[in-house]
Amino acid sequence: MDTARLFFAIQPDNAIQATLGDIAKHQSRQSGGRPVKPENIHLTLLFLGQIPVDRIEILKAASGNFAAQAFELTIQRTLYWKRNQIIVASADPCPSALFSLENALKTAVHVAKFSFDERTFKPHITLVRKAKRHTATDFQNPVRWQVTELQLIQSIQTERGMRYHTLHRWQLG
Ligand code: 2AM
């Protein structure tokens, strides 16, 4: 059976991706890790893993079934998650609207009988993988991100690394 590796995420616009991409490159040089490409920078809300391709339409229908608010994230520092060896951009404190969106999504996906990663949601934007160390940085200019859209994304392994392909978008009200 054909499957696709899927997750729900929010993705900033090109300008914010470029800003965070520069920070990722800078941090990767200092940490010995691998920077995430600007176009791949995102914040995952719910990771589904491999889903049969013939169930994607059911998933899309279920996921458009709730109303959710737009909100703003302010990203002002990077952190090191030593166990995962990743450097992440943090939007701490996150607005409650982000958690409401994640919760609504989980409920909708559960009702539609899809399984997903049950671990506690820890919002983060991965900037560097396989990082060996980290110099904590607070941004001089916090990045303000108006989140107006939720995306269903397929992750595709290619010869040149991971490629993310947006399958569907939902506007947040
Ligand atoms: P990460 O950046 O912390 O690795 C695509 O792989 C996205 O799904 C990434 O943002 C990844 O988070 C996230 N993700 C969440 N749970 C995952 C899991 N169990 N396996 C792989 N990726 C997962």
Side-chain angles (χ1 to χ4, degrees):
M1 188 194 309
D2 278 353
T3 61
R5 183 181 156 98
L6 303 184
F7 61 101
F8 289 95
I10 51 178
Q11 242 187 335
D13 63 24
N14 293 344
I16 295 178
Q17 283 183 323
T19 302
L20 294 176
D22 285 346
I23 294 168
K25 275 181 214 139
H26 176 74
Q27 288 283 350
S28 73
R29 283 193 288 270
Q30 298 195 336
S31 68
R34 184 162 44 81
V36 174
K37 288 183 274 188
E39 65 269 27
N40 280 356
I41 288 176
H42 68 278
L43 187 157
T44 293
L45 287 164
L46 194 63
F47 182 77
L48 297 166
Q50 296 293 340
I51 298 293
V53 169
D54 61 6
R55 294 197 71 211
I56 293 178
E57 287 307 315
I58 299 170
L59 179 66
K60 283 189 205 167
S63 315
N65 248 338
F66 57 86
Q69 299 286 319
F71 53 91
E72 182 183 272
L73 292 180
T74 304
I75 305 163
Q76 39 202 350
R77 63 183 62 91
T78 57
L79 299 171
Y80 185 37
W81 287 13
K82 196 172 175 186
R83 235 178 86 193
N84 308 60
Q85 286 197 299
I86 57 176
I87 293 173
V88 303
S90 157
D92 196 30
C94 283
S96 60
L98 173 69
F99 294 95
S100 303
L101 175 59
E102 187 257 350
N103 234 327
L105 196 52
K106 248 184 189 166
T107 304
V109 164
H110 175 74
V111 168
K113 298 195 166 30
F114 287 88
S115 53
F116 47 81
D117 185 345
E118 301 268 5
R119 284 175 295 181
T120 310
F121 177 48
K122 291 192 195 138
H124 65 282
I125 302 165
T126 303
L127 295 184
V128 181
R129 296 192 185 279
K130 301 217 186 314
K132 294 181 181 61
R133 68 193 86 84
H134 173 241
T135 314
T137 37
D138 282 349
F139 300 177
Q140 275 177 346
N141 300 309
V143 176
R144 293 192 194 286
W145 171 11
Q146 304 298 329
V147 182
T148 57
E149 192 180 80
L150 168 70
Q151 298 185 18
L152 175 64
I153 300 178
Q154 179 177 3
S155 144
I156 303 164
Q157 182 73 57
T158 73
E159 280 173 8
R160 279 187 279 146
M162 215 45 109
R163 190 170 74 77
Y164 294 147
H165 172 62
T166 300
L167 296 179
H168 204 79
R169 298 167 191 271
W170 292 268
Q171 292 307 309
L172 304 176

